[in-house]
Amino acid sequence: FRPEAAQAAFQFQIEVIANGDNQQTPNNITQLAAGKDLEGNLDAETILGIDYPTPLIAYNTGGNPPFKSDINTPTNTNEPYLTWVRYVLAQRNLPQVISTSYGDDEQTVPEAYARRVCNEFAQLGARGISLLFASGDSGVGEEGTCFANDGRNTSTFLPSFPAGCPFVTTVGGTKNFDPEVVAFDPRNGYVSGGGFSNYFRRPSYQDEAVKPYVASLGDQFKGLYHKRGRGYPDIAAQGQLFQTVWNGTVRRLDGTSASTPAAAAILSLVNDSLLAAGKKPLGFLNPWLYKRGYQAFTDVLSGSATGCGTSGFPAVKGWDAVTGFGTPVSLWMSEF
């Protein structure tokens, strides 16, 4: 815990977009049972606990995006990404790092909508913003749900969106130290997510790192994923057993919903160091990351993105589709 940062939890800025939920009263019994705002508390507390006194802005966004149901998501609980990104792009001043812990099964997001949103995200990168998304918490797919929603129920891994957008930096989860391994928790089924997009082809900045990984898999998982798709995650961070204060109690939470704000907070500290030295902030990370930035990350070599009745994509030396290039080595990133 970080007592000196506690007051910031009552003072950070909240921007409400399209009538997004901004309840500032205690949860009722139904909301408590549903764990309402656990995720939001985890995000804010993780960021403030690491990079305080850096200012924090929370965006609460409403809306119902286009949607195509699948077994895992029978009703529209998808996120209104386009509403959010249009709003932030219209702002003159923006945070230099933005963290988003939410994601949807890619196949539940109509492809035209996904491409439009992804292209809008590219504009944030062009403005020098580091945009981070979580890789998901179900490995390559939750057991019993790994079927395409194309009317044929074809067996398939379930990539996530926006994790598979090539204009965002996607964060996986790890646990333990010496060695650090892929995050998994058999108590709740959490496994750090990873995979390859079916909508977006692999960007050229990934070729040197990702092609050898795909080749190493051979015919394993043949037909279950898009070999030429954009691979994710790009990096990882600790994502298990985060202490989170909620409703007057301390809860332990798992997820890339923890690793993503943790990584974002570390990147914010790197930006602080760069700016103090008269340099530019990191901006869109991926081209730098895949060219030389990966040297500032600790490779994770053990574990896999299990799911869909398989062992899933394994962690290996170098880039892999479960921890990316690994976890950040603190402020040393500014040296690369």
Side-chain angles (χ1 to χ4, degrees), residues 24-73:
Q24 298 295 325
T25 56
N27 288 341
N28 60 36
I29 293 176
T30 301
Q31 292 169 332
L32 288 172
K36 185 178 187 293
D37 293 330
L38 263 172
E39 179 106 349
N41 282 29
L42 169 63
D43 292 347
E45 291 172 27
T46 297
I47 291 172
L48 289 171
I50 295 173
D51 73 0
Y52 173 81
T54 303
L56 172 67
I57 300 174
Y59 298 102
N60 296 355
T61 308
N64 293 299
F67 170 72
K68 184 178 180 182
S69 66
D70 67 2
I71 294 174
N72 197 40
T73 314

Side-chain angles (χ1 to χ4, degrees), residues 13 15 47 51 54-59 84 87-89 91-99 124-125 127-131 264 268 271 275 281 283:
Q13 180 178 341
E15 297 193 17
I47 291 172
D51 73 0
T54 303
L56 172 67
I57 300 174
Y59 298 102
W84 173 79
Y87 172 86
V88 295
L89 283 172
Q91 308 308 304
R92 181 180 296 273
N93 298 309
L94 289 172
Q96 291 162 338
V97 181
I98 298 177
S99 171
L124 285 174
R127 288 178 59 175
I129 309 300
S130 300
L131 181 59
S268 180
N271 279 340
L275 291 169

Side-chain angles (χ1 to χ4, degrees), residues 3-297:
E4 73 273 20
Q7 190 59 34
F10 300 96
Q11 298 173 339
F12 65 84
Q13 180 178 341
I14 298 174
E15 297 193 17
V16 179
I17 305 167
N19 298 313
D21 177 50
N22 188 33
Q23 179 179 330
Q24 298 295 325
T25 56
N27 288 341
N28 60 36
I29 293 176
T30 301
Q31 292 169 332
L32 288 172
K36 185 178 187 293
D37 293 330
L38 263 172
E39 179 106 349
N41 282 29
L42 169 63
D43 292 347
E45 291 172 27
T46 297
I47 291 172
L48 289 171
I50 295 173
D51 73 0
Y52 173 81
T54 303
L56 172 67
I57 300 174
Y59 298 102
N60 296 355
T61 308
N64 293 299
F67 170 72
K68 184 178 180 182
S69 66
D70 67 2
I71 294 174
N72 197 40
T73 314
T75 59
N76 190 357
T77 57
N78 283 3
E79 302 298 329
Y81 301 112
L82 189 60
T83 301
W84 173 79
V85 72
R86 281 178 167 175
Y87 172 86
V88 295
L89 283 172
Q91 308 308 304
R92 181 180 296 273
N93 298 309
L94 289 172
Q96 291 162 338
V97 181
I98 298 177
S99 171
T100 306
S101 294
Y102 302 96
D104 304 316
D105 284 350
E106 184 181 70
Q107 66 176 0
T108 68
V109 181
E111 184 172 352
Y113 179 82
R115 290 189 177 280
R116 185 172 182 180
V117 169
C118 187
N119 287 336
E120 299 276 349
F121 288 161
Q123 294 184 51
L124 285 174
R127 288 178 59 175
I129 309 300
S130 300
L131 181 59
L132 276 62
F133 278 90
S135 70
D137 298 339
S138 301
V140 294
E142 187 175 341
E143 302 292 347
T145 68
C146 301
F147 301 97
N149 60 352
D150 57 2
R152 294 177 292 179
N153 286 337
T154 307
S155 294
T156 184
F157 287 165
L158 297 176
S160 181
F161 179 81
C165 169
F167 302 121
V168 307
T169 300
T170 304
V171 185
T174 63
K175 70 172 187 175
N176 299 345
F177 301 94
D178 197 26
E180 200 168 7
V181 302
V182 174
F184 71 94
D185 191 338
R187 297 173 303 175
N188 56 23
Y190 161 55
V191 183
S192 180
F196 298 82
S197 172
N198 288 321
Y199 289 172
F200 302 100
R201 292 181 66 88
R202 181 173 58 240
S204 59
Y205 65 71
Q206 281 198 315
D207 282 343
E208 187 173 344
V210 177
K211 278 184 177 180
Y213 180 79
V214 173
S216 73
L217 296 173
D219 288 335
Q220 192 177 18
F221 315 129
K222 184 177 181 180
L224 295 176
Y225 75 102
H226 181 21
K227 290 188 174 184
R228 294 184 176 86
R230 184 273 206 258
Y232 70 90
D234 303 294
I235 60 174
Q238 286 281 317
Q240 194 155 329
L241 299 178
F242 273 50
Q243 302 273 18
T244 304
V245 177
W246 175 79
N247 189 42
T249 64
V250 177
R251 304 286 293 270
R252 292 183 177 182
L253 300 179
D254 299 338
T256 51
S257 298
S259 60
T260 305
I266 292 169
L267 291 170
S268 180
L269 293 177
V270 174
N271 279 340
D272 183 67
S273 177
L274 290 169
L275 291 169
K279 300 178 181 179
K280 294 181 179 180
L282 291 166
F284 177 43
L285 293 171
N286 294 10
W288 163 81
L289 177 67
Y290 283 84
K291 185 176 182 179
R292 65 178 184 274
Y294 65 88
Q295 299 172 76
F297 291 76

